[in-house]
Amino acid sequence: MTLTTERPGTGESRPYRFPPVVRRSVAGGEVVGAHLPGHQLAVATLLLDAGALREPSGREGLTGVMAKALEEGTAARDSTAYALALEGLGTELSMAVDWDSFRVGVQVPVERLPAAVELLAEAVRTPRLDPADVLRVRDDEVTSLRMYWANPGPRADAALRADLFGVDQRPGRPMDGDPDSVEAVTVEDVVAFHRSWLTRTGTLLVVGDLERLDLDVLGATAFAGARAEPVDPGEPLRVPTRTERRIIVVDRPGSVQSTLRLGHPAPHRAHPDYVSMSLVSTVLGGAFTSRLNHLIREVRGYTYGIRSDFGLSRRFGRFVVSSNVQTAVTAPALVDAVAEIARTQEAGVTEPELEVARSWRAGQLSVELQTPRAIAGALSTLVVYGLPDDYHARLREELLSASVADVSAAAATHLRAEGLTMVVEGDAAAIRDDLAATGLGDLLNATV
């Protein structure tokens, strides 16, 4: 086969520019916008301080039930009429719940955004919350969670959370709850949560061609009838750190693999070392070329993949390494993973490794922040974590300019190999003796 043309060369790199951010106080709430000149699609997202940390004890997963219940009609329209109204605009509600926020969004052509925001506000402010609908949604969630919890992983993650944060604190229990906690959710719980948290003004995020949109009108629509009451975000949680390791075994009889979750507490998301911490994690286990993946997958052949991450929220964070390995190599995989974390903590990173991590993270950022939905997500980051409006405009350069000294210092400060909790979900009878023989830490049984 003969090529008839030459493959074109690469073009010049174009600088990445995050769109200008605009803030407006409207009707007791705040509108935060990003200007995309000429874009035909626009996004509006109502951001409320009603994340999983607001759930009452014993009702973990309540916010997930609340989110799905919003799609079951409003005080003015049943579910069919409301769905048809959304469909008439060519959109649907997009829901997202995390530890810190509850978000409901729409994406439509620019000229339809005012009508879409009106429908969004109708669902959030005046949902039908018919008892039969709420109970059906709840039961569907319970069924889904029962299937999810039958898989390897959820129990290991729950055991790690419980050990790091304690079950008496909300972060010590699964963000989405478990089958028992969701099954305990009542109609009264959902109605009370709505009344307490979804009737506040919140923040409206708008991304699109702002020259064709009236932010004041959109804000007035989103905040109409809502309460302009401040919400205390709370201080970062004080989570004690350990100076000794422990191994927690979650028994899964007959399993041919072991699920590994290694972790320790970490700072909150707005910590000034965030950029350096993210690069530490990329070098250690955040990319296919990472140290952990190279050793545990490529050299040892113990797994298809292993990764690490700093999962950070507004008031707390944790460092986690996750993998699945063959049962027979559970103990050596654990030893190698701990040694690699310790090596990175003690010796830091090298310039060649960091150059790959910088380039990959900066390039990923530019690719990820291309769509109006993604930019709305970036705006929510500014609001939830109290970051400056130019944060994303500076982030790429901060990633590219991070030095070996800065990233190595972050590794020394924020990795704690000596205080790891190592959760192993697998066949306890097959792995317990080998785990004890590693001498990595005290061997405990899971209580979840």
Side-chain angles (χ1 to χ4, degrees):
M1 182 175 178
T2 304
L3 291 176
T4 58
T5 60
E6 294 293 326
R7 179 177 297 172
T10 57
E12 291 186 12
S13 297
R14 291 180 296 174
Y16 171 75
R17 293 187 178 88
F18 192 80
V21 176
V22 176
R23 289 184 184 254
R24 216 53 82 73
S25 294
V26 180
E30 184 179 39
V31 179
V32 179
H35 183 36
L36 299 178
H39 273 242
Q40 298 304 309
L41 284 178
V43 166
T45 299
L46 186 58
L47 172 67
L48 298 161
D49 194 325
L53 284 179
R54 301 296 186 188
E55 295 172 336
S57 179
R59 300 295 189 271
E60 295 81 17
L62 167 60
T63 52
V65 176
M66 180 80 257
K68 289 182 171 57
L70 293 184
E71 298 183 282
E72 298 299 321
T74 69
R77 319 174 209 230
D78 63 21
S79 58
T80 301
Y82 185 75
L84 288 172
L86 285 172
E87 187 176 336
L89 295 177
T91 190
E92 61 184 359
L93 295 182
S94 62
M95 310 282 190
V97 178
D98 57 26
W99 288 108
D100 304 309
S101 65
F102 189 110
R103 303 187 299 279
V104 186
V106 288
Q107 177 173 272
V108 290
V110 175
E111 64 274 7
R112 299 180 186 175
L113 193 63
V117 170
E118 188 173 340
L119 284 176
L120 183 159
E122 182 180 327
V124 174
R125 307 306 189 186
T126 59
R128 182 173 292 262
L129 299 184
D130 179 87
D133 291 335
V134 172
L135 294 177
R136 175 173 47 79
V137 166
R138 180 205 64 186
D139 291 345
D140 286 347
E141 282 292 283
V142 171
T143 299
S144 178
L145 282 170
R146 289 197 193 285
M147 295 173 64
Y148 174 65
W149 278 68
N151 296 314
R155 292 173 64 207
D157 193 69
L160 179 61
R161 284 196 171 281
D163 188 72
L164 297 186
F165 303 108
V167 294
D168 57 323
Q169 293 199 89
R170 181 61 184 89
R173 304 185 296 277
M175 187 180 75
D176 296 325
D178 58 42
D180 292 336
S181 68
V182 174
E183 192 169 33
V185 172
T186 66
V187 174
E188 291 75 19
D189 292 328
V190 173
V191 171
F193 189 87
H194 177 268
R195 184 170 53 246
S196 295
W197 300 107
L198 271 64
T199 57
R200 299 171 188 253
T201 48
T203 302
L204 183 68
L205 311 173
V206 180
V207 179
D209 188 342
L210 300 188
E211 292 182 355
R212 299 165 60 191
L213 294 167
D214 190 325
L215 295 183
D216 292 331
V217 169
L218 294 174
T221 301
F223 305 142
R227 295 177 292 137
E229 294 182 8
V231 179
D232 181 9
E235 295 295 321
L237 297 177
R238 297 186 180 277
V239 181
T241 57
R242 297 196 185 95
T243 56
E244 72 284 338
R245 292 189 289 257
R246 58 179 60 182
I247 303 173
I248 299 176
V249 178
V250 179
D251 192 17
R252 191 177 183 86
S255 178
V256 298
Q257 287 191 327
S258 294
T259 296
L260 307 183
R261 295 289 188 272
L262 291 66
H264 58 66
H268 56 91
R269 172 61 176 79
H271 194 282
D273 287 348
Y274 171 76
V275 168
S276 294
M277 290 165 62
S278 68
L279 290 169
V280 168
S281 183
T282 303
V283 170
L284 177 59
F288 189 80
T289 57
S290 70
R291 290 179 174 184
L292 283 170
N293 204 59
H294 176 73
L295 176 62
I296 308 299
R297 173 192 159 105
E298 301 297 320
V299 177
R300 305 293 195 219
Y302 292 159
T303 182
Y304 284 114
I306 181 170
R307 64 177 296 106
S308 68
D309 185 39
F310 282 97
L312 311 179
S313 64
R314 183 167 58 190
R315 300 181 62 200
F316 68 94
R318 66 171 185 163
F319 169 76
V320 181
V321 174
S322 305
S323 188
N324 295 292
V325 300
Q326 303 166 53
T327 295
V329 298
T330 301
L334 200 63
V335 170
D336 282 345
V338 171
E340 202 62 47
I341 296 168
R343 180 171 79 92
T344 305
Q345 178 183 352
E346 294 164 7
V349 302
T350 66
E351 178 58 39
E353 289 175 316
L354 183 56
E355 177 56 33
V356 172
R358 284 188 297 235
S359 176
W360 184 72
R361 288 299 300 266
Q364 182 187 44
L365 178 72
S366 302
V367 170
E368 287 179 347
L369 294 179
Q370 292 296 317
T371 66
R373 283 192 190 277
I375 293 171
L379 293 182
S380 72
T381 299
L382 303 182
V383 175
V384 172
Y385 305 122
L387 301 172
D389 287 352
D390 65 347
Y391 175 80
H392 289 100
R394 294 186 289 103
L395 183 54
R396 187 173 187 275
E397 289 307 313
E398 289 186 7
L399 286 165
L400 291 173
S401 63
S403 69
V404 169
D406 290 340
V407 176
S408 295
T413 301
H414 300 295
L415 291 178
R416 302 191 184 99
E418 73 287 351
L420 283 167
T421 293
M422 296 160 282
V423 177
V424 182
E425 180 181 0
D427 188 338
I431 61 178
R432 182 179 295 278
D433 290 346
D434 289 343
L435 291 174
T438 65
L440 287 175
D442 293 337
L443 201 61
L444 307 171
N445 292 321
T447 58
V448 297

